[in-house]
Amino acid sequence: MVLLTSLVDWARGSAAHARVRAVRSERLVDVRRPDVNVVHVQRPRLALPAAELRTIVASRPTLRVRAAVPTTNPRPHLEAALKLPLSGGRGVDAGVDAGVDVGVDAECGLRAAREFLVDDIARVVEAFGEDLGYTRVNVKLEVIANTKCPKWHADHVGLRLLCTYVGDGTLYVDNAHATRSWVWSGGAMVPVVAGVDEGGSLQAATGDLLLLKGHGWGDDQGGGSASFMGLGAVHRSPDVPEPGAGTRLLLTVDDVLQDIDGCGCGAQH
């Protein structure tokens, strides 16, 4: 039965591969279209408090906050999750450096950055509920000092949104610029990215929203197909020439509520 399902997934994914593409849109709901696996929402008018956000990166280099958040009234949950510690490490959350004293200006920067992040992430989470029908999502905010996912890959999740608040944005390609192989792994045939035409790659700008379908997208997310295996969005992290030279503040919102990452790049996270 597993073999038959794998063969069906392979046939469907191979047949539809070149027809599934990335789009630039102002509407996250466009990701429901069966011929779309990436929705890139450009936000050139977003008033990013760049200096204040860089304060987080500079003073909290190991920041990693993760929380399961309801899509209805998410703000209180986000406020609790994003209690960024100020002087002396008060209000420390898991994954955040403790005992780091910062000056008055940095404290003000942290407060302004936190207020902006809570507001912006709340809007994104609410859109997952209003536009995409989710009742609960996983929210992760982290400072990344290296190339987290250096290889072109597609994630083993249903849906994942990425937004880079500080640093370079994520790269992605249309399926037409990617080739995939199917390999036998874990008792089933699974797709892997075999090659990418780098000349066809696109990149999200700082502050843009990048909504990526994974191999797990299906009817339960309203995708309109029994399986999206082999059609997940191909993407990778931007290059960082050396640790600390391209530090990023990255938001991830997805449907992975278990303690797993779902990334398909093969790197250890």
Side-chain angles (χ1 to χ4, degrees):
M1 186 65 181
V2 173
L3 177 58
L4 178 59
T5 300
S6 295
L7 289 172
V8 171
D9 286 341
W10 167 79
R12 182 186 292 112
S14 299
H17 188 263
R19 297 197 300 270
V20 176
R21 59 194 178 91
V23 297
R24 289 178 176 172
S25 173
E26 296 182 356
R27 308 186 319 148
L28 293 182
V29 72
D30 283 343
V31 80
R32 287 181 176 272
R33 290 168 43 184
D35 64 330
V36 168
N37 65 354
V38 177
V39 171
H40 180 179
V41 180
Q42 296 173 297
R43 303 199 291 175
R45 292 182 295 276
L46 180 66
L48 275 171
E52 289 80 0
L53 291 170
R54 285 196 295 270
T55 300
I56 295 179
V57 171
S59 61
R60 303 291 178 259
T62 60
L63 175 73
R64 191 174 191 270
V65 176
R66 181 171 181 169
V69 178
T71 56
T72 301
N73 192 27
R75 187 181 178 89
H77 301 270
L78 293 169
E79 288 176 338
L82 295 177
K83 294 195 300 289
L84 297 175
L86 301 179
S87 292
R90 294 188 295 273
V92 175
D93 289 320
V96 183
D97 286 346
V100 178
D101 289 318
V102 297
V104 173
D105 290 343
E107 280 198 9
C108 293
L110 284 171
R111 288 193 181 97
R114 177 180 179 271
E115 182 177 347
F116 167 82
L117 289 169
V118 169
D119 287 343
D120 195 57
I121 297 171
R123 286 192 290 268
V124 170
V125 170
E126 287 168 348
F128 264 73
E130 295 168 1
D131 297 341
L132 303 173
Y134 287 88
T135 59
R136 198 169 186 84
V137 292
N138 177 63
V139 174
K140 181 169 62 177
L141 183 70
E142 57 187 330
V143 172
I144 301 172
N146 54 19
T147 305
K148 181 180 180 183
C149 301
K151 296 181 179 179
W152 290 102
H153 66 283
D155 294 331
H156 294 274
V157 300
L159 196 62
R160 175 164 284 167
L161 179 142
L162 301 175
C163 177
T164 305
Y165 288 116
V166 175
D168 295 333
T170 300
L171 291 95
Y172 66 97
V173 294
D174 275 329
N175 275 1
H177 296 290
T179 56
R180 306 190 204 229
S181 299
W182 288 71
V183 299
W184 189 261
S185 177
M189 290 179 66
V190 296
V192 295
V193 177
V196 165
D197 175 9
E198 297 268 357
S201 65
L202 300 168
Q203 187 168 21
T206 305
D208 284 358
L209 303 180
L210 198 61
L211 195 58
L212 308 167
K213 279 180 183 172
H215 293 310
W217 177 266
D219 278 333
D220 54 337
Q221 288 95 6
S225 64
S227 173
F228 210 70
M229 186 65 71
L231 298 172
V234 177
H235 62 287
R236 71 170 176 87
S237 300
D239 292 327
V240 175
E242 59 185 49
T247 303
R248 307 164 70 207
L249 179 63
L250 178 68
L251 169 70
T252 303
V253 180
D254 58 35
D255 58 1
V256 180
L257 299 179
Q258 301 82 18
D259 188 23
I260 58 175
D261 191 270
C263 179
C265 77
Q268 294 295 319
H269 301 317

